[in-house]
């Protein structure tokens, strides 16, 4: 695709942000590309479709910040089927991979079609009734939260609404959709269904439904598994459940997860990628499932997810293992894989020609 319009999403709290912005704007000006700032932090918040329309429907969203900024840009990119390029100005992130020193290189790669498109699963949901936020919630968020709230999600115009299947919302989550309690002294009681079958009724602080991308976020903090972003799956994780079964459940991408508040449960908040989007009352329900649309993130080359995992999570080796030997940074392969392994993704070193004694020529 040819880049004609760039939308710029910036975390102004990073000291490197002004210089990074200037690099992007200069690159755009030199190529006659329109560059529009999209304020997703301070001004009155709007739905993603309205924000990208106001920005001229950019075909490339560039985020300058950490994972939180990337998620805000992802919401816009998914709404417009735009490419998403994340520049890393953050501290502990998995989503942004391009350092500030490579901004121009990354933009050139997009311009010259020398990139890999990383297609990521998104979540969406149907609800028993439209999500709404109390009028005083905006004031509460401005005092105790981080900026203004997003409006309640719109109804999707390409999906049929009915009493049994619910109302389809025009919203996407790249990390997770969470149902969580509003009061410290009152947990939520929720019947959890997978593919229409009851898994269990939980009394918990929260229930997290995450993508593989989001498996390293809230779900992981609650004890959930780390799932490769290349996988196609949905991860359900209860947070502080009052029951013996407190494990995560990994389900197929075609299996929706239903969450129904029981009749005497406390009220619950619905958050999408950490953003409060509505409140539920007893007997309300949401159905979370894989969206038809995908996030298209720009990658400059193969992603070392596991090296990043080791670094960002500060993984250390067992002292007993260290005493027994050294584990190299990769399992080094210097010859092509055998035929039965040629379809696998492996970190293979560049192979030199060797003579009959195995010496490089």
């Amino acid at each position: 695709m040819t880049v004609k319009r760039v939308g710029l999403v910036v975390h102004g709290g990073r000291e490197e942000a002004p210089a990074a912005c200037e690099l992007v704007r200069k690159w755009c000006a030199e190529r006659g590309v329109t560059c529009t700032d999209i304020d997703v932090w301070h001004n009155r918040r709007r739905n993603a479709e309205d924000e990208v329309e106001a920005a001229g429907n950019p075909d490339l969203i560039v985020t300058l910040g950490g994972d939180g900024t990337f998620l805000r840009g992802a919401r816009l990119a998914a709404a417009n089927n735009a490419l998403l390029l994340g520049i890393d100005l953050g501290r502990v992130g998995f989503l942004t991979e391009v350092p500030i020193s490579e901004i121009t290189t990354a933009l050139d790669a997009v311009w010259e079609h020398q990139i890999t498109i990383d297609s990521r699963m998104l979540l969406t949901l149907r609800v028993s009734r439209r999500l709404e936020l109390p009028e005083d919630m905006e004031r509460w968020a401005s005092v105790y939260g981080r900026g203004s709230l997003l409006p309640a999600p719109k109804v999707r115009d390409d999906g049929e609404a009915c009493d049994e299947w619910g109302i389809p919302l025009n919203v996407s989550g790249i990390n997770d959709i969470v149902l969580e309690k509003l009061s410290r002294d009152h947990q939520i009681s929720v019947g959890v269904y997978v593919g229409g079958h009851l898994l269990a009724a939980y009394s918990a602080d929260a229930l997290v439904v995450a993508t593989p991308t989001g498996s390293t976020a809230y779900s992981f903090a609650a004890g959930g598994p780390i799932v490769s972003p290349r996988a196609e799956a949905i991860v359900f994780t209860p947070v502080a459940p009052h029951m013996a079964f407190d494990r995560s459940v990994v389900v197929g991408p075609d299996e929706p997860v239903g969450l129904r508040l029981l009749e005497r449960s406390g009220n619950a908040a619905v958050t999408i990628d950490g953003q409060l989007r509505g409140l539920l009352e007893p007997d309300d329900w949401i159905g979370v499932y894989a969206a038809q649309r995908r996030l298209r993130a720009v990658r400059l080359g193969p992603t070392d997810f596991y090296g990043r995992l080791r670094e960002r999570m500060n993984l250390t080796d067992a002292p007993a293992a260290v005493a027994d030997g050294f584990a190299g940074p990769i399992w080094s392969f210097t010859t092509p894989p055998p035929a039965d392994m040629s379809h696998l993704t492996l970190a293979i070193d560049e192979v030199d020609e060797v003579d009959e004694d195995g010496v490089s020529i």
Side-chain angles (χ1 to χ4, degrees):
M1 61 173 280
T2 301
V3 175
K4 297 180 180 179
R5 297 172 297 278
V6 169
L8 197 55
V9 178
V10 183
H11 190 310
R14 304 287 187 230
E15 63 180 33
E16 312 97 319
C21 286
E22 195 56 38
L23 286 174
V24 176
R25 295 192 184 104
K26 179 181 178 182
W27 183 91
C28 289
E30 290 174 349
R31 290 159 182 79
V33 174
T34 302
C35 183
T36 304
D37 288 358
I38 306 177
D39 184 358
V40 297
W41 302 94
H42 303 106
N43 290 343
R44 180 74 182 176
R45 306 293 298 281
R46 292 177 287 184
N47 282 295
E49 293 75 15
D50 297 333
E51 288 186 318
V52 294
E53 183 178 356
N57 293 305
D59 39 44
L60 173 66
I61 300 290
V62 178
T63 68
L64 302 172
D67 279 1
T69 310
F70 184 91
L71 289 173
R72 291 172 186 253
R75 185 176 66 89
L76 307 179
N80 204 43
N81 196 33
L83 291 178
L84 178 64
L85 174 62
I87 307 300
D88 185 15
L89 306 183
R91 296 181 294 270
V92 183
F94 283 92
L95 303 177
T96 52
E97 297 185 355
V98 178
I100 188 172
S101 60
E102 295 183 17
I103 289 180
T104 302
T105 301
L107 291 169
D108 285 343
V110 175
W111 184 260
E112 297 165 4
H113 309 283
Q114 301 296 319
I115 57 173
T116 298
I117 304 298
D118 186 5
S119 177
R120 296 285 182 99
M121 173 191 291
L122 297 169
L123 295 175
T124 190
L125 71 161
R126 282 177 172 257
V127 294
S128 55
R129 63 177 176 85
R130 291 193 62 170
L131 295 181
E132 297 178 345
L133 290 169
E135 293 182 0
D136 59 352
M137 189 66 77
E138 181 72 35
R139 182 189 62 81
W140 177 88
S142 65
V143 174
Y144 300 106
R146 292 187 175 183
S148 58
L149 293 175
L150 287 169
K154 292 182 178 180
V155 176
R156 221 173 56 233
D157 57 13
D158 62 345
E160 180 182 353
C162 61
D163 290 341
E164 189 171 39
W165 291 96
I167 302 168
L169 297 185
N170 194 6
V171 69
S172 298
I174 184 173
N175 262 0
D176 48 45
I177 295 176
V178 180
L179 197 61
E180 53 191 325
K181 69 179 185 179
L182 286 171
S183 173
R184 169 155 178 119
D185 64 351
H186 202 160
Q187 290 190 310
I188 52 173
S189 294
V190 183
V192 177
Y193 299 79
V194 177
H197 295 274
L198 179 65
L199 172 66
Y202 289 81
S203 179
D205 284 357
L207 302 166
V208 182
V209 184
T211 63
T213 299
S215 70
T216 53
Y218 192 4
S219 177
F220 173 77
I226 293 173
V227 181
S228 167
R230 297 171 60 89
E232 295 288 315
I234 297 174
V235 182
F236 163 73
T237 302
V239 180
H242 271 242
M243 58 191 299
F245 182 70
D246 61 353
R247 299 294 190 267
S248 296
V249 178
V250 181
V251 306
D254 58 347
E255 296 179 295
V257 178
L259 307 173
R260 182 186 294 272
L261 280 177
L262 302 186
E263 59 268 23
R264 289 186 294 277
S265 170
N267 291 354
V270 178
T271 61
I272 302 174
D273 289 341
Q275 301 278 313
L276 178 62
R277 304 306 301 272
L279 304 181
L280 296 184
E281 297 177 352
D283 285 330
D284 289 337
W285 58 263
I286 62 174
V288 183
Y289 54 99
Q292 291 183 326
R293 67 180 69 171
R294 309 276 294 192
L295 179 68
R296 302 192 302 146
V298 173
R299 301 298 183 214
L300 302 186
T303 300
D304 182 13
F305 171 74
Y306 302 102
R308 182 176 291 265
L309 176 68
R310 179 179 173 86
E311 173 190 353
R312 298 299 170 94
M313 295 293 186
N314 290 319
L315 299 186
T316 56
D317 304 319
V322 172
D324 287 338
F326 171 73
I330 63 170
W331 187 310
S332 182
F333 302 100
T334 58
T335 57
D340 65 315
M341 299 182 71
S342 61
H343 64 292
L344 302 180
T345 299
L346 299 167
I348 300 176
D349 295 344
E350 185 174 337
V351 179
D352 296 327
E353 290 189 47
V354 296
D355 59 22
E356 60 184 7
D357 296 319
V359 178
S360 296
I361 300 175

